[in-house]
Amino acid sequence: MMNVLLVDDEPWVLEGLRTMVNWNKYGFQICGEAENGNAAWSIIENLRPDLVFTDIHMPSVNGLELIDRSLQRLDKPPRFVILSGYDSFDYAKTALEQRVEDYLLKPIDELEIENVLEQMSRKIQNELVSEKLHQQERTLYVNCLFNRLFQGEDSSELQAEVESILQMEGHENMACLLIETDTCNEDIQSQVERLASSNHYEFFMDADGRMGVFAAEIEDSLNWLERLGRTLFEMYSDHGSIIVAFGYHSGGVVAMRSAYEKAFAALKWKRYQKGSGIIRDQDLPMHGNMAIVNQKALTNLFKTILTGEEDGLEREVNELLASPDSGLSVSDIEYVRVQLLALEMGVLKQLKELEGDVDSFELQLQHMLGGLTDIVSYPAFREYALILSLNALRALQELRKEKECSTIFRVVQYVNHEFREKLQLQEIAQKFHMNANYLGQAFRQQTGKSFREYLNDKRIEEAKRLLRQSCSSIAEVAVNSGYPNADYFVSQFKRMTGMAPSTYRKQP
C-alpha cells in the first residue's frame, strides 16, 4: 500500500477526506493527519509518505513552505496535491510550478478527488517499479565489484570505480557492517536497503549471502552505521538468531577489504560463542586472534571420526588442542576453546546432513559434559573433546549403518556429490553392482523422479546458486554445474525455469 498524509487546519476537512474517499480502492492508506505545517513536516520526515494532500493557509508553516522544505531537504520528496479555496487560487497556480501534481478546490468533490487518486496511483506505482528495477541492476553491479575486492583484486580501475560509487574521495576511514541471521532475511534486507539509502552508505551481499553495509567517514556516518546495527538487532533478536558485526580500517577504498575481513572475523567469533549479539572487531579478546581455527588438525580429527577409528581419536584430539606454532598472543585456554567450538559445530553439521536427531545429541552432550564456557582447565577441555569425538563417531556410525542398508540411498548420495561430472545410469549401475533397469525403477521410487530428471534438477539448482552468488560468465556457470555445452545449458535452463540464465540473474 502507498502512504498518504492529510494536512489541513480545519478538522472537518480532514474528517471529510478520511471518510468520503475509498483510499484502499486506489492502493492508498492514510498514514497520518496534521493540522499545521510543523506537525506535517515531522510526519513527512519520519514516515516518508508517497503522497500529501495539503491546504495552503495554515498556522506556523503554510502549505507552500511545507512543499518547498520537502523539495530542499529530502532526497525523495513526496508528491503533493494542493487543497485550495477560491481566495488562494493564485497560490495554487504558483504551487503548480513546483513539484505539485494537481490542486483541488474546496469544497472537495468526491469524483474529482477519485480522478486525482487514480492518476497519482498509476504515476507512483510506475515510478516504484522503475526504481526497483534500477536498484536491482545497481545492487547486482555493486555486489560484483565488492566481491572482486574481497577476493583480492586491487587494480586501480576497480578501486576508482568503487570509490566513485561510495562518493568517498578524500575520506580515509572505512566501516563495514555485516549481518548474519537465520530468520526474516527478506524483511531485514528491505529495512537495511531503506535505511541505508543515503549517498554515504552502500548495501551489498557477500558471496555467502550475508547482508552488509559500507560507510565512509563522512559527517556522522560511522556513528549512524552503529545505530543502524543496534536498531536492526533490537527489531529482530526476538525472532531468531542474529549477529551484527562491525569492522573498521583506515586507508580509503583499499581499506574496504580489511574492514570487511575484520567484520567477518568478529562475526565468526560471535558465532563460535553460540550467541546472537552485536560485536565490533575492537571488542574481540586479544584483537580477535582467538578466532583462528587449526583447520589441518580439525580436518584430521574429522577423518578419524568419520572412518570410525576409535583408537586414533586421542592422538588427533591432542593435536587439535595443542597450542599453535604461529606465535599468536593468546592463552592456551582461549585457543583451545575456539578449537572445541569449531569441532562441536562440525559434528552437529555432520549429524544434520545425515538427518540425525541434532537436538537429542546436544541435550545428551550437555547432560554428560555441561557447558563448554564453564570449563577453565586444559584436562577438562581434553576430556570434553574426547567424549564429544567418541559420541560423534558412534552416533555417525549408527546413522550411516541405517542409511547404508539402502543401496539406493548411496546412489543418490553419489549423484548429489558427483552431479557436475558426466554421469550415466549404466555406469552407475555397474559401480554399485546393480541391474540398470532395476536401478532406474528404484531410483524413481526413492526420489520421485527419473535419474535424468533428478540429475538435471541438481545441475539447475547449482546453476541458480552460481548465478545468484557469483559474477561468473554463463559459460563458466554451465561448466561448473555439469553442462560442458553452454548452448545446451541455456536451453535446459529455459525449459526448467521458464527464463534465460541472464534474466534469472537479474531477479531480486
Side-chain angles (χ1 to χ4, degrees):
M1 297 290 283
M2 295 168 286
N3 287 324
V4 61
L5 171 65
L6 308 179
V7 187
D8 199 292
D9 61 346
E10 297 285 353
W12 64 269
V13 174
L14 293 176
E15 182 179 359
L17 287 171
R18 187 190 324 115
T19 57
M20 72 183 286
V21 180
N22 184 356
W23 298 96
N24 290 344
K25 177 181 176 181
Y26 302 98
F28 290 97
Q29 62 182 3
I30 298 174
C31 67
E33 298 177 8
E35 295 185 5
N36 61 72
N38 277 332
W41 171 245
S42 178
I43 295 173
I44 290 173
E45 269 196 309
N46 291 322
L47 299 183
R48 302 297 173 96
D50 301 286
L51 180 63
V52 177
F53 282 81
T54 181
D55 190 12
I56 292 181
H57 293 306
M58 292 184 297
S60 65
V61 174
N62 67 39
L64 296 183
E65 291 171 333
L66 178 65
I67 294 169
D68 185 63
R69 184 182 296 182
S70 298
L71 294 176
Q72 294 295 326
R73 299 188 186 181
L74 299 180
D75 294 330
K76 185 184 175 184
R79 294 176 181 269
F80 286 91
V81 174
I82 289 290
L83 304 174
S84 169
Y86 284 102
D87 59 338
S88 57
F89 182 69
D90 289 339
Y91 288 108
K93 289 191 294 184
T94 302
L96 288 173
E97 298 173 3
Q98 304 181 45
R99 195 194 179 196
V100 174
E101 301 296 331
D102 211 332
Y103 69 90
L104 297 171
L105 290 176
K106 299 177 183 178
I108 306 300
D109 178 75
E110 183 176 350
L111 181 60
E112 188 176 9
I113 194 171
E114 288 187 350
N115 287 335
V116 169
L117 284 176
E118 187 175 2
Q119 295 175 18
M120 290 300 96
S121 176
R122 187 166 52 250
K123 278 186 179 182
I124 294 171
Q125 288 178 348
N126 288 341
E127 185 178 272
L128 291 174
V129 169
S130 177
E131 286 179 357
K132 185 176 181 181
L133 180 61
H134 173 73
Q135 183 59 41
Q136 289 170 355
E137 293 173 346
R138 187 179 186 280
T139 297
L140 180 63
Y141 178 63
V142 168
N143 284 345
C144 286
L145 288 181
F146 285 170
N147 282 295
R148 285 166 58 192
L149 199 67
F150 301 156
Q151 292 164 11
E153 186 176 337
D154 60 355
S155 67
S156 57
E157 293 83 2
L158 175 61
Q159 292 180 13
E161 185 68 16
V162 174
E163 189 173 87
S164 172
I165 285 177
L166 280 181
Q167 299 185 9
M168 54 162 286
E169 186 175 2
H171 300 279
E172 283 292 303
N173 296 325
M174 294 296 304
C176 177
L177 162 66
L178 269 184
I179 303 164
E180 184 173 270
T181 179
D182 61 0
T183 185
C184 304
N185 279 280
E186 292 185 3
D187 191 26
I188 295 176
Q189 181 175 339
S190 65
Q191 289 282 2
V192 174
E193 288 180 317
R194 180 179 66 84
L195 295 171
S197 59
S198 163
N199 289 335
H200 301 335
Y201 314 100
E202 193 65 51
F203 173 82
F204 69 93
M205 299 280 285
D206 72 8
D208 293 318
R210 280 177 290 267
M211 292 168 277
V213 180
F214 272 119
E217 189 173 21
I218 305 171
E219 298 174 351
D220 195 39
S221 58
L222 300 193
N223 289 331
W224 179 92
L225 194 67
E226 292 203 10
R227 291 195 295 272
L228 170 63
R230 288 193 294 271
T231 299
L232 292 170
F233 181 78
E234 291 169 0
M235 289 174 65
Y236 295 101
S237 57
D238 290 339
H239 300 281
S241 173
I242 178 171
I243 300 174
V244 176
F246 299 92
Y248 304 87
H249 205 78
S250 298
V253 68
V254 295
M256 291 178 65
R257 181 182 175 191
S258 296
Y260 168 81
E261 289 174 344
K262 287 183 175 182
F264 185 45
L267 185 148
K268 286 197 299 182
W269 173 249
K270 196 67 178 178
R271 189 200 302 151
Y272 288 153
Q273 297 296 320
K274 290 189 171 182
S276 296
I278 303 172
I279 187 165
R280 304 186 306 165
D281 67 276
Q282 299 101 315
D283 300 331
L284 289 178
M286 305 303 295
H287 304 292
N289 288 335
M290 291 182 295
I292 296 175
V293 175
N294 188 340
Q295 291 291 350
K296 181 178 179 181
L298 185 64
T299 299
N300 289 337
L301 176 54
F302 265 112
K303 285 181 181 177
T304 303
I305 291 173
L306 295 174
T307 54
E309 300 174 7
E310 291 190 16
D311 292 342
L313 283 180
E314 186 173 357
R315 179 185 68 253
E316 299 301 343
V317 164
N318 290 339
E319 187 67 26
L320 177 67
L321 302 188
S323 296
D325 297 324
S326 56
L328 296 176
S329 56
V330 298
S331 72
D332 290 342
I333 286 180
E334 290 166 345
Y335 171 78
V336 168
R337 183 175 281 119
V338 170
Q339 310 314 308
L340 289 185
L341 286 167
L343 171 62
E344 194 169 314
M345 289 174 62
V347 167
L348 297 179
K349 180 181 178 182
Q350 290 288 333
L351 285 169
K352 187 175 182 180
E353 287 181 356
L354 287 174
E355 300 179 359
D357 190 340
V358 176
D359 292 337
S360 177
F361 183 85
E362 283 192 290
L363 286 173
Q364 182 184 9
L365 199 66
Q366 188 174 11
H367 179 71
M368 287 190 298
L369 302 174
L372 181 57
T373 54
D374 298 328
I375 302 175
V376 294
S377 70
Y378 183 85
F381 277 125
R382 185 174 176 278
E383 180 184 10
Y384 186 102
L386 284 169
I387 295 175
L388 168 61
S389 299
L390 183 60
N391 277 270
L393 181 150
R394 292 174 178 172
L396 292 170
Q397 270 191 328
E398 187 64 31
L399 284 170
R400 280 199 301 273
K401 285 179 183 178
E402 293 174 5
K403 298 295 185 182
E404 288 170 2
C405 290
S406 169
T407 305
I408 301 304
F409 174 80
R410 290 188 286 125
V411 172
V412 173
Q413 291 294 94
Y414 178 80
V415 174
N416 288 344
H417 188 263
E418 301 293 339
F419 67 88
R420 297 176 186 85
E421 304 299 325
K422 184 178 179 181
L423 299 182
Q424 299 292 334
L425 186 62
Q426 290 280 356
E427 295 175 0
I428 293 177
Q430 291 177 5
K431 179 179 179 64
F432 287 89
H433 310 290
M434 297 181 68
N435 176 275
N437 289 333
Y438 173 77
L439 175 58
Q441 295 170 4
F443 193 97
R444 181 185 288 276
Q445 187 175 7
Q446 176 77 15
T447 64
K449 301 175 183 177
S450 71
F451 170 76
R452 183 55 55 187
E453 289 171 339
Y454 187 88
L455 182 60
N456 270 334
D457 283 350
K458 290 294 294 183
R459 288 172 172 172
I460 293 299
E461 285 303 312
E462 175 66 6
K464 288 179 179 178
R465 186 187 71 81
L466 293 172
L467 289 168
R468 288 194 307 267
Q469 298 182 4
S470 76
C471 299
S472 302
S473 67
I474 300 300
E476 290 171 333
V477 169
V479 170
N480 290 327
S481 54
Y483 293 95
N485 184 301
D487 291 337
Y488 179 70
F489 162 66
V490 172
S491 68
Q492 288 296 304
F493 195 96
K494 284 182 178 178
R495 181 181 68 82
M496 296 179 70
T497 67
M499 65 182 74
S502 56
T503 304
Y504 179 87
R505 170 171 268 168
K506 293 177 181 178
Q507 289 189 124

